[in-house]
Amino acid sequence: QIATLSVIAHEWSTDAEYGQLLENLSKDESLTWEQKRNIDLSLEEYQKHQKYTSAVVQKMSASVSKAFNAWQAARKANDFQVFVPALEEIIQLKREEAKLLGYEGHPYNALLNEYEPGATVEMIDELFVGVKSSLLQLLDKINASQKPVNSFAGKKFETDPQWKMSVQFLEKMGYDFKAGRQDFAAHPFCTNFNSKDVRVTTRANEDDIFDMLSSTIHEGGHALYEQGLLYENYGLPAGTYISLGIHESQSRLWENNVGRSEAFWKDNYSILEKAFPVECKGVNVQDVFLSNNIVEPSLIRVQADELTYHFHVMIRYELEKRLIEGSLEVKDLKDEWNKMYRQYLGIEVPSDNQGVLQDVHWSHGSFGYFPTYSLGSFYAAQFFQQATKEIPNLEQKIASGDLLVLKEWLNKNIHQYGRLYDAEEICKKVTGEGLNFDYFYQYLSGKLAKVYGW
């Protein structure tokens, strides 16, 4: 059924009459810059869709459905071998798709462009060399320092009070519950149908209070972006997000630059204390800040701290790049995964579910997606630094509970433009320069200096 619907949607998106309309409008000199930009981007999408036949669309859709079911079965059995045949089929299709789309340099460029238009392997490789070196130095410094006490370790946090807290946090961020809702899911996500219907999910971990709160704030950041797109531009590029890197910048900004900050907990500690008075006995705001920012290599990407998170991303990027170029076979993927976790993070992977099967992305055929997670964190730090410059006393405002001022700044400077600017252009428009990793490094090293007492 999904494959059939995908074919119907593809046929509509490649209709000759629609293409002719776009061609005619692209030559119309009476259009405003925004109108012409909408037409140019729509024509670009139309021409890309023309490269796919209905048979290819149907085959890809059916293979993804099969792969997702195989991934679920493999997760249930905790056995990567169950997933291997379906993943091999996906990899082959992705290689064919790269040829179909066309690319310069590495075949992975064609797939990366689907998620982060304009990004290339050359750009990501160069960026990650500096990232890896800088973060390894920080990690070495942390390993030589005394680890802060986790004031919440070993405590239980009931789900219902966590849920109520998460709703309060979404409301304070400015999430519009009249245009959305929150529900539970095994893997938190945000989905939208237009800016008037943007839904988020979260999950509860009674052993870790920060798991649910972080995922709620993270998905709330995604949702604020979607709700911030202008409704009158719905259906047009101007009513669509720029790239997954920029989308991720919004969620990571709220989750980390705001949600893990000392200022945020100065305002919200009372909510935590009221929800869990016994668990918070003898704990203060500083303890919450420290406990929420401990750096420790771990197995699961979505639960990783702000520093080691990027090693999880780099591992996935390197592996999927090699899968697409053909230098790594699917049958060897698990061993390479486990080897790289030893090399990058110094940890042993005890099971397939905690290792190579933990992410859903590859079963969806989402190759080229993972680098956008790191790009998003780097954009987030740069945007937040600029917001701090432009919003008087932003830290004090966050500490006093005023989060709407930041939401409105993001609405004005990023959300309202949709895809009218690409990622690099919007970064320059907002901050005066292109993406610069130094902002993230300065932000993170400054925070960790407080946490580890450097």
Side-chain angles (χ1 to χ4, degrees), residues 294-401:
I294 294 172
V295 172
E296 191 167 18
S298 60
L299 289 162
I300 307 300
R301 174 183 61 84
V302 296
Q303 295 172 353
D305 58 80
E306 286 186 81
L307 193 161
T308 61
Y309 180 86
H310 300 288
F311 291 108
H312 291 269
V313 173
M314 284 186 273
I315 288 169
R316 287 155 176 77
Y317 166 66
E318 289 296 334
L319 290 174
E320 66 180 25
K321 189 173 62 170
R322 289 168 58 193
L323 286 168
I324 296 302
E325 71 186 16
S327 63
L328 174 65
E329 296 299 323
V330 173
K331 64 182 176 63
D332 301 318
L333 179 59
K334 172 184 169 179
D335 290 341
E336 282 299 300
W337 176 289
N338 295 350
K339 176 183 170 184
M340 292 185 79
Y341 264 80
R342 282 193 294 272
Q343 289 177 342
Y344 280 63
L345 292 168
I347 55 179
E348 295 292 331
V349 178
S351 70
D352 292 356
N353 280 354
Q354 290 177 291
V356 70
L357 288 175
Q358 69 178 267
D359 296 299
V360 71
H361 301 60
W362 290 338
S363 73
H364 284 166
S366 299
F367 285 79
Y369 193 128
F370 280 117
T372 67
Y373 286 120
S374 284
L375 291 176
S377 293
F378 307 154
Y379 278 123
Q382 196 163 335
F383 291 150
F384 191 76
Q385 173 67 18
Q386 190 65 29
T388 302
K389 289 180 186 176
E390 295 184 15
I391 302 172
N393 304 312
L394 177 58
E395 186 176 339
Q396 288 89 334
K397 283 182 168 65
I398 292 172
S400 65

Side-chain angles (χ1 to χ4, degrees), residues 170-310:
L170 285 173
E171 288 173 337
K172 293 183 83 166
M173 290 167 63
Y175 175 74
D176 184 0
F177 274 95
K178 292 179 181 177
R181 54 181 287 140
Q182 179 177 251
D183 291 278
F184 281 115
H187 188 107
F189 64 92
C190 169
T191 189
N192 71 293
F193 304 93
N194 55 63
S195 62
K196 303 290 186 184
D197 188 354
V198 183
R199 311 178 190 195
V200 293
T201 64
T202 192
R203 67 180 173 197
N205 179 352
E206 296 197 343
D207 294 319
D208 183 359
I209 182 64
F210 299 117
D211 191 355
M212 183 174 188
L213 299 183
S214 291
S215 68
T216 294
I217 296 171
H218 180 99
E219 300 308 331
H222 281 304
L224 291 184
Y225 189 3
E226 294 292 345
Q227 288 186 344
L229 296 170
L230 299 182
Y231 185 69
E232 58 264 32
N233 289 329
Y234 172 66
L236 295 169
T240 308
Y241 66 89
I242 297 169
S243 70
L244 283 177
I246 298 299
H247 221 311
E248 197 64 22
S249 78
Q250 303 305 284
S251 57
R252 299 291 283 178
L253 184 151
W254 282 102
E255 177 191 2
N256 296 324
N257 300 83
V258 177
R260 290 181 189 259
S261 70
E262 193 171 8
F264 179 83
W265 285 106
K266 282 179 181 177
D267 174 58
N268 290 289
Y269 176 68
S270 59
I271 298 175
L272 178 64
E273 188 177 35
K274 185 176 180 181
F276 297 102
V278 174
E279 292 78 5
C280 287
K281 189 174 181 180
V283 177
N284 58 35
V285 172
Q286 182 70 4
D287 294 328
V288 179
F289 170 68
L290 295 176
S291 300
N292 200 15
N293 286 286
I294 294 172
V295 172
E296 191 167 18
S298 60
L299 289 162
I300 307 300
R301 174 183 61 84
V302 296
Q303 295 172 353
D305 58 80
E306 286 186 81
L307 193 161
T308 61
Y309 180 86
H310 300 288

